[in-house]
Amino acid sequence: MRRRRLARRRLLSWLWLLLGSFSLAGLVLFMVHHHHQQQQDPSQLILERETRTEDVSPPPRLNFTEEVTSASSFARQLGEQMTLAKAYVFIAKEHNNLHLAWELTSKIRSCQLLLSKAAMRGQPISLEEAKTIVTGLSTLIYKAQDAHYDIATTMMTMKSHIQFLEERATAATVQTTLFAQSVAEALPKSLHCLMVKLTSDWLTEQPSRHKLAEENRNSPRLVDNNLYHFCIFTDNVIAASVVVNSTVSNADHPKQLVFHIVTNQVSYKAMQAWFLGNDFKGSAIEIRSVEEFSWLNASYSPVVKQLRDTDSRAYYFGDQTSQETSPEPKVRNPKYLSLLNHLRFYIPEIYPQLEKIVFLDDDVVVQKDLTPLFSLDLHGNVNGAVETCLEAFHRYYKYLNFSNPLISSKFDPQACGWAFGMNVFDLVAWRKANVTARYHYWQEQNVERTLWKLGTLPPGLLAFYGLTEPLDRRWHVLGLGYDVNVDNRLIETAAVIHYNGNMKPWLKLAIGRYKPFWLRFLNSSHPHLQDCVTA
């Protein structure tokens, strides 16, 4: 019995010893294997990971553009059938076959839906998917052809539709132009409000203010040729204010600047009230009314005679329904019948004692000091202006009628055009060349509007032909009233930026990215302006 117990104990001991040996051996093997994995080549691990990634990557998506253009694809077949079916929809409606038109339209929608799904999932259209629609469309197209909607009928019908759509597009373009023109011509409510308030101020002003205005009109600075003179012809108070404010703000010596503003009788009081009530850094400002120029009458000026002529007014604003006699929409603009617009040709007579002057339009903003313009050498020419013939449509033949021998015999059709809006005029050379008489001559020749149709630039091109000195383009950058793509670098380096076009900066339809350049020089803190904007 005792021997048996000893034998069991020895057996258990051997079993425990064997189990411990196996455990120790397993631990050693695990550590060796783990150490081997840590020293494995990293590039091999990356390769393995990439291999695993490639194994699970999705299949490449279909290029649907290539699918549609492939000659053997169902997508292209469906597209061609759909195009033909659309043509037959029009023809069926023309022949009052509304049921066939409805059936074709239904199949076209099914075709569009299938093409859209194929494009979204990026997989080609299968035979099973296309078979039903292709068969259905083929049957309906055969049905349409069987109803005598042959190719000749299709072509004639489509031609009439194209002509109809072209007429509608032309009418819509004209209508859009007319609406834009109407908006551009209309005086905004806020500006009308401001004019009323300023006129009221002038009428209730103290006599001392009126006396100050009279002193300004008689200031010796107005005829001092040692100062820098600028002229502006406008009836827009806010526009004139921005031009003056931007000019003096960028001038090195603003007290040496003199501004000659001519307006009409309606705006005269408001203009006086505004410029007397605001500070423009000590510059001299003269306000006059065009009605004061009694010498500028129909007996002297052909343009005054034409502006008062009933036929001219009927041409610009008459209710003409005939396409042959009705002018282009842009011609029907009040500015072409405004004498203020033509005063630029009478500057030497308006300011007989001045020798040099810079003309500024009311839709410009000055960004640099303009006094260096007065020291430019014009080489005996009258007009210093920036040329605009970088594009072909700014050459003479685009403004004038060269089929008329009076034009073709005297002018080069490829001559470069230039811009009004920022011009430096040598008034001594002007008087010597008698440019105003040249202007009168061409106005008399154009009584029947056969040489040009509208505006002051065409007669300006004729009157100043051979008398214009090209200026550096940076003096005057145009297009901010119609072109949304004017280069920012041109704007930043420009001495003057010009909002020529219908999208004036004081209108709601102004181009947004250009408006801050104008607003920077608007005295928006003026109480009347604040009241009128919020009214």
Side-chain angles (χ1 to χ4, degrees):
M1 189 78 174
R2 190 173 180 182
R3 287 179 181 176
R4 287 179 181 174
R5 288 179 181 173
L6 289 172
R8 284 179 187 171
R9 286 177 184 172
R10 287 177 182 171
L11 182 61
L12 287 173
S13 298
W14 280 106
L15 288 173
W16 280 109
L17 180 62
L18 188 60
L19 182 61
S21 300
F22 280 120
S23 300
L24 183 60
L27 180 61
V28 171
L29 288 172
F30 173 77
M31 292 179 67
V32 170
H33 180 70
H34 180 68
H35 180 69
H36 177 71
Q37 280 189 333
Q38 283 185 332
Q39 293 189 344
Q40 190 176 357
D41 186 3
S43 61
Q44 184 67 25
L45 292 173
I46 294 171
L47 181 62
E48 290 176 3
R49 282 198 298 269
E50 289 179 350
T51 304
R52 289 195 296 269
T53 304
E54 289 174 359
D55 291 341
V56 297
S57 62
R61 290 182 63 82
L62 173 74
N63 187 328
F64 199 71
T65 303
E66 294 180 0
E67 174 72 8
V68 171
T69 56
S70 173
S72 59
S73 70
F74 290 112
R76 176 169 178 170
Q77 187 177 348
L78 286 170
E80 291 174 348
Q81 280 196 321
M82 187 168 59
T83 302
L84 187 57
K86 286 179 179 178
Y88 281 123
V89 168
F90 283 113
I91 298 170
K93 287 181 179 178
E94 285 285 325
H95 290 77
N96 206 29
N97 193 343
L98 300 181
H99 181 69
L100 177 59
W102 178 84
E103 287 183 308
L104 286 166
T105 303
S106 178
K107 286 294 181 184
I108 289 170
R109 287 174 182 167
S110 300
C111 183
Q112 290 172 333
L113 182 61
L114 178 57
L115 290 170
S116 177
K117 286 181 178 179
M120 290 182 66
R121 74 189 182 202
Q123 297 295 323
I125 298 172
S126 64
L127 174 62
E128 291 74 16
E129 292 173 315
K131 184 176 181 180
T132 306
I133 298 176
V134 169
T135 304
L137 272 175
S138 299
T139 303
L140 290 172
I141 290 170
Y142 178 78
K143 185 177 178 181
Q145 291 172 340
D146 194 48
H148 305 294
Y149 303 158
D150 55 13
I151 297 299
T153 305
T154 303
M155 290 177 64
M156 290 298 295
T157 305
M158 294 306 295
K159 185 177 180 180
S160 65
H161 273 289
I162 290 170
Q163 185 177 357
F164 172 70
L165 290 173
E166 285 178 347
E167 290 173 357
R168 287 187 61 183
T170 303
T173 302
V174 172
Q175 195 77 3
T176 302
T177 306
L178 286 172
F179 286 154
Q181 193 72 50
S182 299
V183 174
E185 294 167 12
L187 182 68
K189 180 182 175 182
S190 58
L191 294 186
H192 177 72
C193 165
L194 179 66
M195 294 277 287
V196 171
K197 286 181 176 290
L198 290 172
T199 302
S200 177
D201 285 352
W202 177 254
L203 294 174
T204 57
E205 284 282 5
Q206 298 295 326
S208 59
R209 301 284 284 179
H210 289 248
K211 185 179 179 181
L212 178 61
E214 192 63 28
E215 290 175 357
N216 288 343
R217 286 172 60 96
N218 296 315
S219 171
R221 297 171 66 187
L222 301 181
V223 293
D224 187 350
N225 282 299
N226 293 315
L227 301 179
Y228 305 104
H229 296 265
F230 300 84
C231 61
I232 307 164
F233 307 134
T234 180
D235 59 355
N236 188 325
V237 176
I238 290 299
S241 175
V242 169
V243 175
V244 173
N245 193 31
S246 63
T247 306
V248 299
S249 297
N250 290 286
D252 293 336
H253 304 286
K255 291 184 179 180
Q256 296 181 12
L257 307 187
V258 181
F259 294 91
H260 305 268
I261 300 175
V262 180
T263 186
N264 56 27
Q265 200 168 13
V266 175
S267 305
Y268 177 78
K269 298 179 179 65
M271 200 79 74
Q272 284 281 20
W274 179 270
F275 282 97
L276 282 174
N278 289 277
D279 176 42
F280 293 95
K281 298 188 176 183
S283 59
I285 299 175
E286 175 196 26
I287 310 292
R288 299 177 71 180
S289 172
V290 67
E291 285 79 11
E292 297 176 28
F293 308 141
S294 57
W295 51 268
L296 191 57
N297 50 50
S299 62
Y300 169 66
S301 170
V303 72
V304 173
K305 184 178 180 180
Q306 291 173 23
L307 293 178
R308 294 177 180 175
D309 183 57
T310 54
D311 290 340
S312 295
R313 290 184 172 272
Y315 173 76
Y316 287 113
F317 298 105
D319 184 19
Q320 297 142 324
T321 55
S322 171
Q323 193 170 3
E324 295 180 358
T325 59
S326 181
E328 299 175 29
K330 65 179 181 180
V331 177
R332 305 180 65 144
N333 191 321
K335 75 176 184 179
Y336 299 123
L337 289 179
S338 170
L339 187 55
L340 288 174
N341 199 43
H342 296 268
L343 285 184
R344 64 194 69 188
F345 295 104
Y346 298 96
I347 292 174
E349 292 160 284
I350 299 173
Y351 310 109
Q353 293 175 280
L354 297 183
E355 297 174 355
K356 188 170 280 191
I357 198 167
V358 169
F359 165 75
L360 295 173
D361 262 337
D362 65 355
D363 53 354
V364 305
V365 171
V366 177
Q367 301 187 128
K368 310 281 185 185
D369 183 17
L370 295 186
T371 56
L373 283 170
F374 291 82
S375 59
L376 289 178
D377 185 2
L378 299 183
H379 300 98
N381 288 310
V382 177
N383 172 29
V386 170
E387 292 185 330
T388 56
C389 57
L390 293 178
E391 297 85 11
F393 60 84
H394 284 139
R395 296 189 180 274
Y396 268 50
Y397 74 91
K398 283 295 183 179
Y399 296 101
L400 303 167
N401 179 17
F402 273 86
S403 64
N404 190 307
L406 193 60
I407 296 293
S408 59
S409 63
K410 296 179 182 294
F411 301 97
D412 177 8
Q414 294 297 328
C416 190
W418 45 267
F420 265 133
M422 196 291 299
N423 306 79
V424 54
F425 292 122
D426 184 336
L427 301 184
V428 176
W430 183 316
R431 296 181 186 102
K432 184 178 179 180
N434 205 358
V435 175
T436 302
R438 295 172 67 169
Y439 168 69
H440 284 173
Y441 170 79
W442 288 112
Q443 284 288 358
E444 288 169 349
Q445 300 303 312
N446 195 45
V447 172
E448 301 297 327
R449 294 173 292 276
T450 56
L451 305 185
W452 71 88
K453 287 186 178 181
L454 73 156
T456 54
L457 182 56
L461 295 176
L462 299 177
F464 291 101
Y465 186 70
L467 298 172
T468 299
E469 179 70 17
L471 301 182
D472 189 299
R473 190 183 181 191
R474 290 171 294 180
W475 279 112
H476 188 191
V477 171
L478 298 103
L480 278 72
Y482 69 90
D483 186 357
V484 297
N485 296 314
V486 179
D487 194 327
N488 283 331
R489 293 170 295 181
L490 287 177
I491 296 174
E492 291 167 3
T493 58
V496 174
I497 53 176
H498 195 168
Y499 293 81
N500 56 311
N502 284 334
M503 299 179 182
K504 302 299 184 189
W506 54 83
L507 300 176
K508 288 185 177 179
L509 52 75
I511 299 173
R513 62 181 281 243
Y514 307 141
K515 198 165 185 177
F517 300 112
W518 187 84
L519 291 174
R520 186 188 310 164
F521 298 103
L522 177 65
N523 183 12
S524 55
S525 63
H526 193 284
H528 286 347
L529 200 55
Q530 289 185 337
D531 291 344
C532 290
V533 169
T534 57

